[in-house]
């Protein structure tokens, strides 16, 4: 094998131009050894090369230099060329699509539904891509670690990466890592929901309802998630051997509410822990640790009764309100909050590292949600820890009665802000490399 190795390395240095003709003329055992060594050489050649960004997952084949996730046509990528997934990179450049800029370049306050109505046709391109991304399944199936028997399917098919068409790319926003690697994401809009959400019916009232706004306000099929599957539906490893996949859920309610839960089309309505776990596992992201908070007092035995064993071993549940320091709550800055023993941000800072993939869901009605999200956007040390963020932003939806009550309700301090404030903060998160999504 050492002799064969030297000869394989020699051929490698010559570009394998002769395809090992001498070795292939040897007996079958030698030919097998040659093939093994050739494969090992290919693997060895890619080890130790840490990609320069979160999005630089693959080394392109010679026939194309387009990232496979973003290529319109299907490409089979040799397994030896597949790259690992890097930790968070703040150097990514965020590019807002023209669709998104229609919201950012003007004040949308007082005209949310008016602007949304002009975008219905273009939004179909975004929704078609999201539907493809939620339906391009692998042939094989895996067992879910989060599904509750009788509530969700116990097996799922991983979602293969799929690229948008040219028309879809024009509507979607994206993260750029150099000139050749792009990762797409849904554009930010003032609806903060599905682009055809019936919230505009709520805004205008029954006599002025636009029938094109015909989707539930709880339809999440518009969200374009991070995907760690390779072209064959296998999980691509994190580049750092010590990196983990972590999920933090601020406002989780129960684990099982006794009702069916389905995420097959990207939609989710129900307990958030199993919903997010299943949405992500379909994209080859199985969380190593999950941390969840719920302020409403729960019966501990009942709460844990339906949690699957594989989930129990990795889930930490805090039946307490999410709190931050007084300095953080009053907007005086996040430094003190990071070190407070009762702070969520302190736990995030102590638990996660930039080598980890971290997803965070924030939906704590009346809690310090705005302060937490702002601190992450404005503090590089915290921003470097979060890769994907889902936020139900409780802002003033043009004085409409929304799912979180009266705009003047003091329980929701965020409702003192309008749609422009919401768009600005979500855009700031994306500018520091965080895949931020308006959630329900």
């Amino acid at each position: 094998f050492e002799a064969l190795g030297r000869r394989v390395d020699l051929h490698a240095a010559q570009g394998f131009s002769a395809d090992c003709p001498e070795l292939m003329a040897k007996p079958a055992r030698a030919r097998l050894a040659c093939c093994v060594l050739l494969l090992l050489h290919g693997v060895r050649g890619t080890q130790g090369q840490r990609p320069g960004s979160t999005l630089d997952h693959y080394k392109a084949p010679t026939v194309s230099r387009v990232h496979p996730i973003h290529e319109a046509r299907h490409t089979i990528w040799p397994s030896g060329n597949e790259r690992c997934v890097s930790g968070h990179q703040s150097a990514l450049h965020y590019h807002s699509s023209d669709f998104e800029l229609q919201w950012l370049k003007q004040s949308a306050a007082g005209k949310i539904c008016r602007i949304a109505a002009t975008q219905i046709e273009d939004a179909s391109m975004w929704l078609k891509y999201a539907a493809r991304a939620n339906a391009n399944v692998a042939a094989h199936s895996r067992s879910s670690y989060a599904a509750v028997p009788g509530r969700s399917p116990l097996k799922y098919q991983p979602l293969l990466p799929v690229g948008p068409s040219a028309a879809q790319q024009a509507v979607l926003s994206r993260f750029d890592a150099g000139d050749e690697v792009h990762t797409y994401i849904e554009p930010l809009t003032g609806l903060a929901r599905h682009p055809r959400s019936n919230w505009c019916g709520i805004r205008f009232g029954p006599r002025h309802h636009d029938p094109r706004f015909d989707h539930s306000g709880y339809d999440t099929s518009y969200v374009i998630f991070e995907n760690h599957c390779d072209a064959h539906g296998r999980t691509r490893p994190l580049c750092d051997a010590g990196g983990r996949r972590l999920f933090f859920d601020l406002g989780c309610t129960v684990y099982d509410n006794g009702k069916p839960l389905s995420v097959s089309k990207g939609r989710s309505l129900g307990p958030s822990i199993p919903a997010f776990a299943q949405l992500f596992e379909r994209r080859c992201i199985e969380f190593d640790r999950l941390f969840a908070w719920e302020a409403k007092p729960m019966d501990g035995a009942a709460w844990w009764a339906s949690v699957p064993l594989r989930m129990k071993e990795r889930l930490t549940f805090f039946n307490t309100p999410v709190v931050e320091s007084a300095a953080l709550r009053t907007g005086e800055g996040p430094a003190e909050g990071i070190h407070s023993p009762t702070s969520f941000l302190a736990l995030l800072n102590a638990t996660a590292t930039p080598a980890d993939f971290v997803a965070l869901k924030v939906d704590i009605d009346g809690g310090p949600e705005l302060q937490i999200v702002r601190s992450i956007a404005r503090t590089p040390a915290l921003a470097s820890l979060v890769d994907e963020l889902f936020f139900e932003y409780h802002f003033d939806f043009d004085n409409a009665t929304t799912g979180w009550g009266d705009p003047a309700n003091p329980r929701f301090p965020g409702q003192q802000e309008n749609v422009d404030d919401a768009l600005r903060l979500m855009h700031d998160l994306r500018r520091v490399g965080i895949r931020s999504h308006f959630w329900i």
Side-chain angles (χ1 to χ4, degrees), residues 88-124:
H88 180 84
Q89 295 289 332
S90 59
L92 301 177
H93 174 69
Y94 179 64
H95 176 82
S96 297
S97 66
D98 289 340
F99 189 101
E100 180 175 309
L101 289 174
Q102 291 183 49
W103 295 92
L104 300 178
K105 287 190 171 182
Q106 61 177 317
S107 173
K111 47 188 177 181
I112 294 175
C113 293
R114 199 179 316 157
I115 298 174
T118 68
Q119 296 186 316
I120 289 282
E121 184 175 346
D122 286 341
S124 66

Side-chain angles (χ1 to χ4, degrees), residues 11 57 59 99-100 198 310 331 400 413:
H11 281 285
H57 300 319
K59 179 180 179 181
F99 189 101
E100 180 175 309
N198 59 14
R310 289 175 60 200

Side-chain angles (χ1 to χ4, degrees), residues 293 318 320-329 334-351:
W293 284 257
F318 301 94
T320 60
V322 176
V323 296
E324 293 297 343
S325 71
L328 181 61
R329 264 199 310 276
E336 180 181 337
I338 293 177
H339 302 290
S340 168
T342 60
S343 166
F344 157 71
L345 293 176
L347 180 63
L348 173 68
N349 194 51
T351 304

Side-chain angles (χ1 to χ4, degrees), residues 13 113 175 186 240 249 358 372 379:
C113 293
F175 290 93
E186 76 276 3
D240 192 309
D249 188 346
V358 174
I372 288 171
T379 311

Side-chain angles (χ1 to χ4, degrees), residues 138-184:
H140 65 279
S141 62
R142 296 178 177 179
S143 296
S144 173
Y145 74 102
V148 177
R151 308 281 188 263
S152 305
L154 300 183
K155 289 186 177 292
Y156 65 93
Q157 293 171 280
L159 292 170
L160 304 179
V162 59
S165 66
Q168 292 164 353
Q169 290 179 30
V171 174
L172 299 171
S173 295
R174 69 175 191 266
F175 290 93
D176 295 342
D179 296 331
E180 301 166 356
V181 182
H182 314 295
T183 292
Y184 290 89

Side-chain angles (χ1 to χ4, degrees), residues 230-242:
D230 68 11
H232 306 286
R234 299 169 302 200
T235 301
R236 289 180 289 121
L238 297 175
C239 294
D240 192 309

